[in-house]
Structure formats: C-alpha cells, structure tokens
Amino acid sequence: MNLANDSVNQARSTWPYPRIIAHRGGGVLAPENTLAGLEVARNLGFHGVEFDVKLSEDETPILMHDDTLERTTDGQGPVADQPYHEIAELDAGGWFGNEFTGEPVPAFAAAAALCQQAGLWANVEIKPCPGRERETGVVVARMAKLLWSGADLPPLLSSFSAIALEAAAVEAPELPRALLVVDVPVNWQAQMQRLQCVSLHASHRYLNAALVKAVHDAGYGVLAYTVNDSELALDLLDWGVDALVTDQLDIITPDFA
C-alpha cells in the first residue's frame, strides 16, 4: 500500500471542481476572454474554464484581462474610461486570426449563460482596473450570485486583489473564493483565513511538494497556473496539486489527469 498516494488521492477527493482548466477560455487556440474561446474549450471536452472579469466605465462586468484595450481589440484607451455599448462594438478576435474577426468583447452575463448551457464550470478571476478594486469585487460577486442562482456547482471567484475578495465576501458570502498569488507569501495561511478562501492559486514556478502538502494539511485546495508542459503537469499532479490551468488545450487535455 502506498500511503503517500492514498494521502494525495484523499486530498484530491475534496476538490469539487474540474482538474484541468482552460486558461482565458480557449488558451492558445482562440482569442482570449471571448465566447468563441469558451466554445473551443467546450468542443474539446473541457469541463472547466478560467476567465477575467473587470468593469467598463458604466460598471458593466466584461471579459477582459488588460486595463487597456489595445492588445486584444481594435480599440484604444483604458477600459475604465469607456462604456460597454462602445466596447461591445469592438473587434476582439481579429488580432488572433481572420476566422475570429468580429468576435465581440462579451459581457459577463453572456459568458455565464454560455457556461451553463455548455456545462462549463467557471473560475472567475476578478481583475479590477486600478482604483476600482472594491467596486469590481462587489459587482462581480453580485452578478455571479444572480447568474448562477440555483446552480449545482457555483463559480469560484479568485483575485490577486485582497480588497476585491473582501468586497466579494461581503456581497456574496455563499460563493467560494480563492487567493491568487504569483509567489506564495510566508503568511499565506493567515491571508486565506482572513479572506475565508477555499483554495490557493499560485504560479507553478513557486510550488513544491512540501508546500502543496502544507496547504492541503491546512484544509485548502491548490491550483497551479499556467501549466503548458506535460511533464511539468505530471510532476505537479504527483505532488497533489488539485487543478491545473493551461493554455495548451491540445496537449494538456481534459482527460490528462
């Protein structure tokens, strides 16, 4: 009997979410944070997706990673300075490939509807523009609570912003939350307790077997991002990491683990 493996399997059994999660929707196979990306993940058999949500000028929650529009749309300027009816007219797919030309920036509500229709669980990263941490946490949590009302498996709200997580906890305490970090801080457990999180999401570069065990022993799940190498993915899973976020949807497939 391998007691170490039994311990890992027991820890994994407490993780209620998919093990392999598509980064920003479609990873490297579709424009990020779009409905087209979510469709790609679904068509490849993924059961879990991750995407970023921030607020437009008029506080409409939208799928967008950057604070400005230039990299992933044909628009310009800060996201926080433009109302959603203007952002909705932008092309968020042409930069990626001609077949995605005209793909819009989706509202959070549209992404939530597609996820539920497609059977996709969502890790929703609260990604506030500078200075809008609290209001973004409030709006995203409020909308998530409404959009997934009655769902068997609600979304997991994660953020690098403690302020956003605090606001989300007040607005929708029933929704699970995750602390998102790059390097795992020394006081990770105190932060997790204060923010009442269920899991720690960290860059794979700063995880090791001992740390994963410590997080599990404290009663939390562990997610590693962004894992694009299959050998690394196997190592992380051997350490007991509960979930991997990947761009390489054709290499680290839904049944990889």
Side-chain angles (χ1 to χ4, degrees):
M1 177 180 292
N2 189 325
L3 295 179
N5 284 344
D6 286 350
S7 177
V8 167
N9 290 334
Q10 183 177 6
R12 286 175 175 172
S13 70
T14 64
W15 178 260
Y17 311 117
R19 301 276 308 285
I20 308 297
I21 300 166
H23 189 220
R24 300 184 192 173
V28 297
L29 302 181
E32 65 183 63
N33 288 315
T34 61
L35 299 185
L38 299 179
E39 292 276 11
V40 166
R42 174 180 66 173
N43 292 341
L44 289 174
F46 279 79
H47 300 291
V49 292
E50 181 268 355
F51 52 79
D52 307 290
V53 180
K54 58 179 2 88
L55 302 183
S56 63
E57 184 272 336
D58 54 353
E59 296 196 352
T60 301
I62 63 172
L63 270 59
M64 179 73 61
H65 178 275
D66 295 4
D67 294 326
T68 58
L69 295 163
E70 285 84 353
R71 183 176 66 86
T72 58
T73 79
D74 59 352
Q76 294 183 334
V79 174
D81 289 350
Q82 304 193 42
Y84 180 61
H85 74 268
E86 294 181 4
I87 293 175
E89 297 298 319
L90 301 177
D91 178 359
W95 67 273
F96 186 90
N98 291 336
E99 68 272 31
F100 294 105
T101 297
E103 183 70 24
V105 176
F108 183 30
L114 177 55
C115 284
Q116 292 182 80
Q117 181 269 326
L120 292 169
W121 169 81
N123 174 185
V124 178
E125 181 181 343
I126 305 172
K127 197 83 171 176
C129 295
R132 305 188 80 184
E133 290 80 8
R134 190 168 302 281
E135 63 188 292
T136 306
V138 168
V139 173
V140 173
R142 180 187 303 147
M143 289 289 291
K145 178 170 62 174
L146 175 66
L147 295 169
W148 273 272
S149 177
D152 291 336
L153 195 62
L156 177 59
L157 307 181
S158 64
S159 187
F160 286 101
S161 169
I163 295 174
L165 287 176
E166 289 170 352
V170 172
E171 185 66 28
E174 67 271 38
L175 292 182
R177 294 171 301 283
L179 177 63
L180 187 55
V181 299
V182 180
D183 190 358
V184 179
V186 174
N187 67 339
W188 62 266
Q189 189 168 356
Q191 290 193 47
M192 299 278 285
Q193 290 172 341
R194 182 173 66 84
L195 297 168
Q196 299 178 326
C197 292
V198 301
S199 60
L200 179 68
H201 297 188
S203 169
H204 68 82
R205 294 179 178 85
Y206 299 97
L207 290 173
N208 56 60
L211 179 56
V212 171
K213 182 180 185 304
V215 177
H216 281 159
D217 287 347
Y220 304 107
V222 183
L223 176 148
Y225 71 87
T226 302
V227 183
N228 295 326
D229 177 84
S230 58
E231 291 188 9
L232 172 63
L234 289 172
D235 287 342
L236 289 161
L237 293 171
D238 283 344
W239 295 346
V241 166
D242 297 290
L244 308 176
V245 172
T246 184
D247 287 312
Q248 299 291 345
L249 310 192
D250 52 344
I251 298 174
I252 301 177
T253 59
D255 58 355
F256 182 85

